[in-house]
């Protein structure tokens, strides 16, 4: 059978050649998908269907730069799957965005939504650009033209963007406005993660970091650890890493290290996370020059003697070179795809409990769903209601994934894939194939 051959030839949990640590996130996603598909004995046709993006849009985005020159950017939107509902997923702006990366991120959105039980499929967008070198005006024109090019793709019942790396509330506001100008009515449910004043949700900005905190507490429970005993290192100090660090500190954990693009910052007595957030805000969003800490390297941060490690930066950070030296008992993946498949195997052998990205960072899309629901109802919830519902969904999802992993004696990552793929495949079976 073609499917069986695909799986068995892949030899997922053997030490792979160097190619598997290469940063191809789609390949990384596929490795795990294959293991889960095999456990589920997925029909070969379903296997192909669930792995293949439904649609890929690549669009040229011309922008008049501040100096009058016209510059062309490449915009991507991948709709991975719409079986459970309209597709959902963020848009990232970065110079090194690739199609394979966006394809992987779109698939991860499908699995994420299935795991937390929100009625969305998965999508992701990217624009190849360097937002740090662009003025606000250039970013606005880029965003509006990208949106205009994708008017037929986006829509509250079709495909709903949200923030991701280097995109924020302001960028969502421009998408909302551009889409609404063409629709000739204000359509605030077309994006999530927008400013509260424009129909955004309380708690959305903090939601991903909050979900990371919630799964970390659940994982600590399973290992019999108490927050007050735990030390934490956080890689990445953007929206996810900084909020996860802040909330874990509030729970009593000692945050001993954080990092951003300028390097790692370590203090064995614990860092003052709020002071660091304030510092970064006043310092062009970086921790460069922060005083009350010792500078360490990225690799040192990942291999610190801590109880909990939160990779919240980007893909392929915990590789097979780093994994043998990881000392944390729990890894809670705030980023998408921070651990390579080869590293997974090593961490599993070493007994590290990895809470996988598609569960650990699903708090963001969960509150995006709440935001979409509120927009469509025109009735807005209190922060307390948002947080209570978020906590409940994430705790339930954690328990389901943990049980699934125990049932098949696999890692939580594979448990999460099994749960997600099974759910989407069951929905596909009910819908059938339209001929
Ligand atoms: N970009 C976020 C993620 O990777 C959020 C997506 C959303 O809210 O639609 O999960």
């Amino acid at each position: 059978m073609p499917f069986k051959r695909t799986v068995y030839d892949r030899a997922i949990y053997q030490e792979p050649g160097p190619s598997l640590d290469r940063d191809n996130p789609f390949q990384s996603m596929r490795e795990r998908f294959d293991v889960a598909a095999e456990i589920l004995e997925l029909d070969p046709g379903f296997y192909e269907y669930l792995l293949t993006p439904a649609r890929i849009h690549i669009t040229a985005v011309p922008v008049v730069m501040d100096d009058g020159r016209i510059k062309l950017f490449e915009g991507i939107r991948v709709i991975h799957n719409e079986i459970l509902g309209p597709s959902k997923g963020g848009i990232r702006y970065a110079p090194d965005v690739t199609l394979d990366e966006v394809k992987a991120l779109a698939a991860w959105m499908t699995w994420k939504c299935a795991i937390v039980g929100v009625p969305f499929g998965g999508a992701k967008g990217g624009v190849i650009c360097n937002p740090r070198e662009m003025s606000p005006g250039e970013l606005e024109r880029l965003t509006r033209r990208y949106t205009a090019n994708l008017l037929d793709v986006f829509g509250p019942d079709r495909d709903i963007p949200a923030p991701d790396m280097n995109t924020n509330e302001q960028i969502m506001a421009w998408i909302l406005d551009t889409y609404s100008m063409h629709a000739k009515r204000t359509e605030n449910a077309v994006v999530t993660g927008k400013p509260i004043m424009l129909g955004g949700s309380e708690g959305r900005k903090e939601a991903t970091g909050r979900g990371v905190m919630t799964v970390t507490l659940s994982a600590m429970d399973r290992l019999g650890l108490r927050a007050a005993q735990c030390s934490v290192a956080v890689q990445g100090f953007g929206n996810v890493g900084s909020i996860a660090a802040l909330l874990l500190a509030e729970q009593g954990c000692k945050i001993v290290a954080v990092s951003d693009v300028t390097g790692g910052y370590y203090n064995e007595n614990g860092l003052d996370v709020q002071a660091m957030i304030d510092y970064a805000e006043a310092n062009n969003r970086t921790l460069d020059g922060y005083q009350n800490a010792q500078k360490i390297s990225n690799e040192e941060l990942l291999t610190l003697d801590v109880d909990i490690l939160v990779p919240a930066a980007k893909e392929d950070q915990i590789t097979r070179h780093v994994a043998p030296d990881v000392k944390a008992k729990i890894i809670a993946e705030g980023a998408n795809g921070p651990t390579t498949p080869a590293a997974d195997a090593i961490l599993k052998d070493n007994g590290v409990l990895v809470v996988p990205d598609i569960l650990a960072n699903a708090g963001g899309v969960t509150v995006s769903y709440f935001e979409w629901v509120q927009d469509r109802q025109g009735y807005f919830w209190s922060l307390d209601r948002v947080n209570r519902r978020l906590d409940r969904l994430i705790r339930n999802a954690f328990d389901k994934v943990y049980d699934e992993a125990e049932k098949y004696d696999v890692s939580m990552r594979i448990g999460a894939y099994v749960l997600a793929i099974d759910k989407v495949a069951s929905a596909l079976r009910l819908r059938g194939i339209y001929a």
Side-chain angles (χ1 to χ4, degrees):
M1 250 185 12
F3 166 66
K4 285 288 178 202
R5 202 161 49 239
T6 317
V7 171
Y8 289 135
D9 284 354
R10 214 165 282 278
I12 289 116
Y13 281 140
Q14 284 170 21
E15 179 63 6
S19 69
L20 284 190
D21 256 355
R22 194 168 39 98
D23 54 355
N24 184 332
F26 191 76
Q27 182 62 22
S28 294
M29 191 283 295
R30 192 186 178 135
E31 303 283 333
R32 284 70 175 247
F33 183 94
D34 281 356
V35 182
E38 190 176 0
I39 289 172
L40 288 165
E41 296 180 16
L42 200 65
D43 169 271
F46 274 49
Y47 172 86
E48 285 298 327
Y49 191 132
L50 297 184
L51 204 53
T52 311
R55 284 186 299 285
I56 295 177
H57 304 272
I58 296 181
T59 177
V61 186
V63 176
V64 179
M65 306 302 277
D66 290 347
D67 63 6
R69 277 181 314 129
I70 298 170
K71 213 172 151 183
L72 257 99
F73 297 90
E74 186 173 308
I76 303 170
R77 183 75 178 169
V78 174
I79 314 291
H80 173 253
N81 187 296
E82 299 161 297
I83 293 171
L84 289 175
S87 54
K88 186 84 192 79
I91 299 170
R92 62 174 52 179
Y93 287 178
D96 54 355
V97 171
T98 66
L99 179 58
D100 263 356
E101 175 188 3
V102 181
K103 276 167 62 183
L105 289 159
W108 281 325
M109 287 309 304
T110 302
W111 314 137
K112 228 180 267 192
C113 293
I115 288 169
V116 284
V118 299
F120 290 136
K124 201 78 170 198
V127 180
I128 305 171
C129 64
N130 191 346
R132 282 188 184 267
E133 286 172 1
M134 293 173 73
S135 71
E138 290 168 344
L139 279 173
E140 176 173 355
R141 294 193 288 280
L142 176 85
T143 303
R144 287 189 183 277
R145 184 58 188 260
Y146 173 77
T147 307
N149 288 2
L150 293 171
L151 277 179
D152 296 338
V153 176
F154 297 153
D157 295 307
R158 290 173 185 267
D159 178 38
I160 306 128
D164 197 75
M165 262 167 57
N166 300 328
T167 55
N168 56 21
E169 290 187 349
Q170 177 60 71
I171 288 174
M172 298 308 113
W174 290 325
I175 296 176
L176 181 162
D177 186 68
T178 307
Y179 186 89
S180 297
M181 288 297 114
H182 284 268
K184 303 215 178 295
R185 62 175 183 275
T186 297
E187 195 57 271
N188 55 13
V190 71
V191 284
T192 60
K194 56 192 168 285
I196 290 181
M197 196 178 282
L198 299 178
S201 177
E202 296 283 352
R204 171 61 186 85
K205 206 165 159 188
E206 297 78 20
T208 312
R210 190 175 176 87
V212 171
M213 179 269 285
T214 307
V215 295
T216 306
L217 294 184
S218 291
M220 286 184 332
D221 259 1
R222 298 285 179 159
L223 298 188
L225 298 169
R226 288 205 337 268
Q229 308 166 318
C230 289
S231 55
V232 182
V234 180
Q235 185 199 33
F237 207 61
N239 184 42
V240 181
S242 64
I243 301 290
L246 192 66
L247 295 178
L248 283 167
E250 262 177 41
Q251 294 295 321
C253 296
K254 186 160 76 173
I255 314 300
V256 295
V258 302
S259 70
D260 71 2
V261 285
T262 64
Y265 298 81
Y266 172 72
N267 186 333
E268 61 174 342
N269 299 317
L271 296 162
D272 182 344
V273 180
Q274 186 60 59
M276 295 181 91
I277 292 175
D278 296 343
Y279 181 90
E281 234 158 61
N283 192 43
N284 203 17
R285 287 179 296 139
T286 82
L287 290 167
D288 199 22
Y290 184 76
Q291 287 302 320
N292 301 323
Q294 182 192 325
K295 272 306 274 292
I296 56 171
S297 70
N298 187 41
E299 177 142 356
E300 282 170 323
L301 180 136
L302 295 174
T303 56
L304 276 176
D305 191 5
V306 289
D307 300 292
I308 292 151
L309 176 62
V310 178
K314 51 183 191 171
E315 296 97 18
D316 299 316
Q317 297 300 299
I318 305 176
T319 62
R320 71 185 200 282
H321 307 293
V322 176
D325 300 321
V326 167
K327 294 173 197 72
K329 301 181 182 80
I330 296 168
I331 297 180
E333 296 184 333
N336 290 308
T339 308
T340 65
D344 266 352
I346 298 165
L347 296 170
K348 188 168 187 290
D349 280 350
N350 292 347
V352 182
L353 179 58
V354 180
V355 187
D357 46 8
I358 50 177
L359 167 64
N361 68 37
V365 75
T366 302
V367 176
S368 275
Y369 167 59
F370 296 162
E371 180 173 330
W372 181 79
V373 167
Q374 292 171 74
D375 291 339
R376 292 166 71 98
Q377 289 184 328
Y379 176 75
F380 291 87
W381 310 350
S382 66
L383 176 62
D384 190 50
R385 172 178 286 198
V386 169
N387 283 345
R388 268 188 288 115
R389 291 185 174 181
L390 169 64
D391 294 350
R392 193 169 64 225
L393 254 72
I394 296 291
R395 271 202 305 268
N396 284 346
F398 181 96
D399 291 342
K400 275 199 262 163
V401 169
Y402 196 90
D403 292 348
E404 203 78 353
E406 285 211 315
K407 180 169 152 195
Y408 293 107
D409 191 23
V410 290
S411 65
M412 279 190 82
R413 188 185 314 282
I414 298 302
Y417 274 77
V418 169
L419 190 73
I421 294 167
D422 195 22
K423 182 159 181 186
V424 182
S426 304
L428 176 59
R429 233 166 262 127
L430 287 171
R431 288 184 66 154
I433 305 292
Y434 180 70

